Amino acid sequence: MRWSLKKLIQLVAILAILLTFLTSATVGYRVNKNTLIESTLDTNKAYAEKLASTTNTYLTETLQTLETNAIDVVPLLDKEDAQSELLRIVERVRMQTSTFNSVSIVSAEGVVQAVSPPSLKLIGEKLTSIGARQALKEKRPLISQPYVGITGELIVYISVPLLTDDGTYRGFLGGAIYLNKPNILEKILGDHFYENGSYVYVVDKEGSLIYHQLENRLKDDVSSNEVVQKVITGISGSQPLVNTKGVRMLAGYSYVPIANWGVISQREESLAVSPASDMVFEMIWRSLPLLFLAFVIVWYVSRKIALPLQKLAYYTESSAQADQKEKMEAISDWYYEARQLKGAMLHSIDYFKNEMNYFIHESTTDPLTKLTNRRTMDGFIKEWIEHDTPFALIIFDIDKFKRVNDRYGHAVGDEVLIYLAEAMQKAARKGDICCRYGGEEFIILLPKADKVTAYLVAERLREKLESTISPCGEVVTISSGVAAYPLHAEHPARLIELADQCLYEAKRTGRNKTIVVSDEPRHE
């Protein structure tokens, strides 16, 4: 088969266009996939750390509640006809914390003095459970490792000793959490905050499941899981892994020191990276019209290139004729047409580069609010710190946003988030960077700004919101924390942590306010 120059040019040009397109699509997919994986790992790590901290705080407060009530119990132990008072205390503890499925007062001999609920009918019985024996033996505040009770329930027992003023041990006040039934772990960990297919589970120090969304998984031994092996030794972090079911997961994990538990938040890798495939299909669909246009240009330009060369070949063959030299010199369109082909090819390449930049931009922007996402925000902070550029940041979230979602639905909740994003951009200065940090939590980065400037911006936004009706038909307010670099901290994580502490202080002290980090000496 003889190939004409026109066909060869068309073939080479079409191959170049297709290869450029495939390369752009492949690179775009890989970049987006890696970004999604890293973002998911960061998100799950942050979420696991937050849940572990919440669980640790809650268990600490539960022990403190027991210790407070234990003070009331001790004087009643030697008092006659104190049964009703003891019953009132255990009922109060059970209703007060909503943590325990049952609460009991046990003597130093292990005999039950009072129990709630009364339906257990254990008064006068001697407890022989693992949790009770451990409490009697160790005589200190403790959280037992999970064990199976005589009823077949998987139990965690929390107790504090009953001590007289001279230190005499008189027994303990304790409560049982039935892990097979609705319990506090389920309330804290039940629904994953990001609602993106991620889920949470908790293991004890032996690597057995003590909380899982699938109840039939309780007590399963998952100690062979490499993430579980790390978290039960007190390590926190994130990594990809293959779980005990053979599924590739992206996991973040954190340690709960008070109970020697590990919290793991994970998501299937296939779910996390699926938007990368969607991006490629969208890119192909958007590119079809220009691809068609590029093919038409190639066909036309190839004819323009081939025709002068055919004339040149003809004139070369007949160059013996005197007038052919002038005709050959007249073929000057060769270079012009070559430049046209080059221009068409460069145009196609530029297009695909623009498309690539577009999708990279999409991967760095929050899809709902169109604000800068957390990963890009971290890049700005890192760059400013590397160049020792002073800046301030405002971290805030919507007060009682869960009530908006519960009352009006998530669609209206999304409209409120978009409304807040627009208000942020109006309140911010030119050059400030508005970011969605996660969920209803947002950050404004203010380059070359001090804490006073940041406070004024935060107040301007807060005052605007408290005087404006939001899309849900109500006024929504925000609580904010302000910190400045390098005044308050020189490490980004510490700076955000300090601002976050101010945010929670604002919530704790009434909400709808802005609190700036104190200028006291730093301890980083």
Side-chain angles (χ1 to χ4, degrees):
M1 178 180 180
R2 291 187 176 183
W3 288 83
S4 67
L5 180 60
K6 181 176 72 174
K7 289 183 178 179
L8 286 172
I9 293 173
Q10 290 175 343
L11 177 63
V12 171
I14 290 171
L15 284 174
I17 292 173
L18 291 176
L19 288 174
T20 300
F21 175 78
L22 291 174
T23 300
S24 299
T26 301
V27 172
Y29 174 79
R30 290 180 178 175
V31 169
N32 197 253
K33 178 181 177 181
N34 290 337
T35 298
L36 289 168
I37 288 175
E38 292 178 12
S39 177
T40 301
L41 288 172
D42 290 344
T43 297
N44 281 339
K45 178 184 176 183
Y47 192 66
E49 289 175 344
K50 188 170 185 178
L51 289 180
S53 175
T54 300
T55 303
N56 196 77
T57 300
Y58 193 92
L59 292 174
T60 300
E61 291 174 352
T62 299
L63 281 172
Q64 291 172 350
T65 299
L66 288 175
E67 289 173 342
T68 300
N69 283 277
I71 296 173
D72 296 334
V73 172
V74 173
L76 299 174
L77 295 178
D78 295 322
K79 183 179 178 181
E80 294 183 2
D81 300 323
Q83 184 68 44
S84 61
E85 286 295 314
L86 294 177
L87 290 173
R88 184 183 62 79
I89 291 174
V90 293
E91 183 68 17
R92 181 181 68 191
V93 172
R94 189 170 70 89
M95 303 305 295
Q96 192 175 48
T97 66
S98 300
T99 300
F100 302 114
N101 296 89
S102 65
V103 178
S104 56
I105 297 173
V106 181
S107 70
E109 294 74 31
V111 177
V112 177
Q113 304 298 305
V115 65
S116 176
S119 59
L120 292 178
K121 298 180 180 180
L122 292 176
I123 296 177
E125 298 290 332
K126 185 171 183 178
L127 293 184
T128 59
S129 66
I130 294 174
R133 293 202 306 268
Q134 185 179 0
L136 292 169
K137 178 181 178 181
E138 298 189 18
K139 297 181 176 62
R140 64 177 179 83
L142 63 84
I143 300 172
S144 76
Q145 290 303 305
Y147 63 91
V148 178
I150 58 175
T151 61
E153 298 283 352
L154 186 61
I155 298 172
V156 169
Y157 201 79
I158 303 177
S159 63
V160 296
L162 300 173
L163 301 174
T164 61
D165 292 339
D166 61 2
T168 303
Y169 180 74
R170 299 299 306 276
F172 63 85
L173 170 63
I177 301 175
Y178 299 165
L179 299 179
N180 300 80
K181 294 181 178 179
N183 57 73
I184 190 59
L185 287 181
E186 187 172 308
K187 292 180 181 178
I188 295 175
L189 309 173
D191 294 324
H192 197 285
F193 183 83
Y194 296 104
E195 298 180 347
N196 58 3
S198 299
Y199 64 93
V200 175
Y201 63 91
V202 181
V203 296
D204 63 15
K205 68 178 182 180
E206 303 301 330
S208 296
L209 288 172
I210 63 173
Y211 172 78
H212 196 281
Q213 289 178 324
L214 301 176
E215 186 177 325
N216 59 4
R217 294 292 306 279
L218 290 181
K219 297 187 287 186
D220 281 4
D221 182 1
V222 293
S223 58
S224 60
N225 184 309
E226 59 185 297
V227 162
V228 173
Q229 292 172 359
K230 290 181 178 180
V231 77
I232 61 179
T233 61
I235 298 174
S236 298
S238 63
Q239 69 175 72
L241 76 151
V242 178
N243 68 9
T244 54
K245 302 296 183 181
V247 180
R248 287 192 61 82
M249 308 296 292
L250 302 174
Y253 48 94
S254 188
Y255 185 64
V256 182
I258 193 172
N260 295 320
W261 296 347
V263 177
I264 297 94
S265 173
Q266 63 183 22
R267 187 185 187 194
E268 286 189 28
E269 183 177 306
S270 59
L271 290 176
V273 303
S274 60
S277 300
D278 296 338
M279 180 211 72
V280 171
F281 288 126
E282 184 179 356
M283 182 178 179
I284 292 172
W285 180 252
R286 287 173 176 255
S287 303
L288 286 178
L290 195 64
L291 282 174
F292 176 77
L293 177 61
F295 292 152
V296 172
I297 292 174
V298 167
W299 176 82
Y300 176 77
V301 173
S302 66
R303 291 184 71 251
K304 288 294 185 180
I305 292 175
L307 184 59
L309 291 178
Q310 289 173 350
K311 289 182 178 180
L312 181 59
Y314 172 76
Y315 293 146
T316 300
E317 290 177 351
S318 57
S319 59
Q321 299 179 17
D323 61 344
Q324 298 303 309
K325 182 177 180 180
E326 294 179 359
K327 294 180 180 179
M328 291 175 63
E329 289 175 349
I331 306 175
S332 59
D333 288 344
W334 164 260
Y335 299 104
Y336 173 77
E337 295 297 332
R339 286 194 297 271
Q340 289 297 97
L341 177 60
K342 182 180 179 180
M345 293 301 297
L346 290 175
H347 174 73
S348 297
I349 292 171
D350 287 342
Y351 168 77
F352 292 121
K353 286 183 178 179
N354 289 337
E355 285 293 289
M356 181 66 178
N357 290 335
Y358 167 77
F359 287 109
I360 290 176
H361 171 74
E362 286 293 295
S363 70
T364 60
T365 303
D366 177 60
L368 176 64
T369 62
K370 307 305 178 185
L371 300 179
T372 299
N373 64 18
R374 180 174 179 176
R375 179 175 182 80
T376 308
M377 179 198 77
D378 290 340
F380 280 114
I381 293 177
K382 180 180 179 183
E383 179 182 354
W384 293 343
I385 290 178
E386 287 177 352
H387 292 86
D388 203 26
T389 301
F391 66 94
L393 66 82
I394 307 165
I395 184 168
F396 61 92
D397 68 8
I398 301 174
D399 297 327
K400 300 182 180 179
F401 184 64
K402 183 178 184 298
R403 184 176 65 83
V404 174
N405 279 332
D406 291 343
R407 177 174 293 182
Y408 302 105
H410 289 279
V412 174
D414 287 347
E415 292 179 12
V416 172
L417 293 178
I418 294 170
Y419 154 78
L420 176 58
E422 293 172 350
M424 285 173 65
Q425 293 169 320
K426 292 177 182 178
R429 309 172 308 161
K430 183 178 180 181
D432 291 346
I433 299 168
C434 298
C435 315
R436 185 178 183 185
Y437 192 61
E440 75 270 22
E441 205 164 38
F442 297 80
I443 284 180
I444 300 178
L445 299 179
L446 300 92
K448 299 180 181 179
D450 57 15
K451 66 177 184 179
V452 175
T453 302
Y455 175 80
L456 293 176
V457 171
E459 281 295 283
R460 183 160 64 239
L461 174 60
R462 185 188 66 77
E463 292 170 358
K464 176 66 176 175
L465 291 174
E466 74 174 357
S467 62
T468 308
I469 300 299
S470 75
C472 71
E474 299 178 4
V475 171
V476 295
T477 62
I478 60 172
S479 298
S480 306
V482 174
Y485 168 87
L487 176 62
H488 297 130
E490 296 183 356
H491 191 279
R494 178 58 178 164
L495 191 68
I496 292 174
E497 180 184 4
L498 291 172
D500 201 45
Q501 290 173 359
C502 287
L503 184 156
Y504 282 102
E505 178 65 15
K507 285 187 174 295
R508 189 185 69 80
T509 56
R511 300 185 175 88
N512 190 24
K513 63 174 63 175
T514 302
I515 295 181
V516 182
V517 176
S518 169
D519 289 346
E520 296 178 359
R522 300 191 305 264
H523 301 284
E524 299 188 30

